[in-house]
Amino acid sequence: MTDGMSDDPRALVATGSQVLAAAGQGDMVWGHLAVRDPGGRGVWMKSAGWGLEEITPDRVLLVSWTGELLEGEGRVHLEHHIHTEIMRARPDVHVSLHTHSLTVNAFSALGEPLRALGHDAVVFAEHGLPRFTATDNLVRTPQLGRALAADLGDARACLMPGHGLAAVGRDIAHAVMYAILLERACRTQLTARAAGELRHWTGHQECLEKDAVAWPDSQIDAGWRYWRRRAALLQAL
Ligand SMILES: [Zn+2]
């Protein structure tokens, strides 16, 4: 990190979780974010039983590649397979997250492609926005985790119809921003669809060009810093 934020995976998980909550993606005590262990032992993720906004570094656990609790005190989320299997399949991914966004679920139920109606959706133009098809149920086995990783492919996020979303990034800024941008893009399309038919959206080629201009690393980082400030304000209330 270049802005004084700790590289400690516990701190990254806590801050990322609080930002997701501040962005409205909490679902009581469900949903989670994981950071790849720099030592290769597994993933750091929040303990079960806490809301995203309640996560502090002492509520973060080191979970092995096969789901054992290696460090920290608390219960491992049943759906840790989402993170262990995605990170096993994607060496480029250092942060993965899963939320039960109501907005994304409402959008997924339409069964239609995401259209770029603003800046948000263009980040998904290059690699697409796949749908997880194996189950609407919890990702409770390694096999389902691998199926999710396969459906995700090399994309930045994946719809999980009837359940939520998964988003990934090479660092916490990218993973969290992709989740926030996806929720906003889905909300925009739902709003337009509620009012009538879609008659205008940005075409694929212009999306690619716009992604390069609107979402270079510097802008992803600027958005991430904004959300960290906003989450800190909420935590101080
Ligand atoms: Zn879930």
Side-chain angles (χ1 to χ4, degrees):
M1 295 289 151
T2 56
D3 57 352
M5 186 175 174
S6 170
D7 280 334
D8 177 358
R10 295 178 188 84
L12 294 176
V13 171
T15 303
S17 299
Q18 291 175 13
V19 165
L20 288 170
Q25 294 206 26
D27 176 24
M28 292 173 269
V29 298
W30 298 287
H32 23 81
L33 175 147
V35 172
R36 184 188 291 272
D37 177 49
R41 294 170 292 174
V43 300
W44 294 87
M45 63 182 292
K46 83 183 240 336
S47 173
W50 301 102
L52 291 170
E53 69 278 13
E54 298 179 296
I55 299 307
T56 48
D58 61 326
R59 291 172 179 164
V60 177
L61 312 175
L62 176 60
V63 179
S64 79
W65 294 107
T66 48
E68 289 93 26
L69 175 61
L70 297 180
E71 266 188 51
E73 289 187 20
R75 285 184 299 112
V76 177
H77 271 283
L78 184 64
E79 293 194 298
H80 62 271
H81 306 287
I82 291 172
H83 309 289
T84 51
E85 297 306 328
I86 285 177
M87 289 203 217
R88 214 193 293 271
R90 291 272 302 267
D92 60 305
V93 168
H94 288 264
V95 177
S96 55
L97 66 90
H98 163 62
T99 74
H100 297 170
S101 163
L102 302 182
T103 307
V104 173
N105 282 343
F107 172 77
S108 297
L110 293 176
E112 64 184 39
L114 183 69
R115 302 297 191 191
L117 309 184
H119 297 340
D120 306 307
V122 302
V123 293
F124 305 108
E126 184 179 359
H127 300 286
L129 181 64
R131 297 167 71 90
F132 177 47
T133 56
T135 184
D136 286 14
N137 206 332
L138 303 188
V139 182
R140 61 200 184 284
T141 64
Q143 290 77 11
L144 286 170
R146 287 195 280 277
L148 174 60
D151 282 342
L152 173 69
D154 60 359
R156 295 169 170 173
C158 182
L159 300 176
M160 300 169 68
H163 187 164
L165 68 89
V168 301
R170 67 171 185 267
D171 58 24
I172 193 143
H174 284 81
V176 171
M177 282 295 288
Y178 292 153
I180 290 173
L181 293 171
L182 177 57
E183 192 274 341
R184 286 164 50 99
C186 290
R187 183 150 36 107
T188 305
Q189 190 156 333
L190 286 168
T191 304
R193 291 275 277 102
E197 278 186 46
L198 296 185
R199 296 204 175 98
H200 175 88
W201 58 84
T202 307
H204 182 67
Q205 186 56 40
E206 193 168 17
C207 279
L208 296 176
E209 294 162 10
K210 197 172 171 183
D211 183 25
V213 176
W215 300 115
D217 290 348
S218 62
Q219 293 304 93
I220 292 287
D221 194 50
W224 163 242
R225 290 178 191 224
Y226 163 76
W227 277 104
R228 279 170 51 201
R229 293 194 299 274
R230 189 157 155 180
L233 288 171
L234 286 173
Q235 289 288 320
L237 288 178

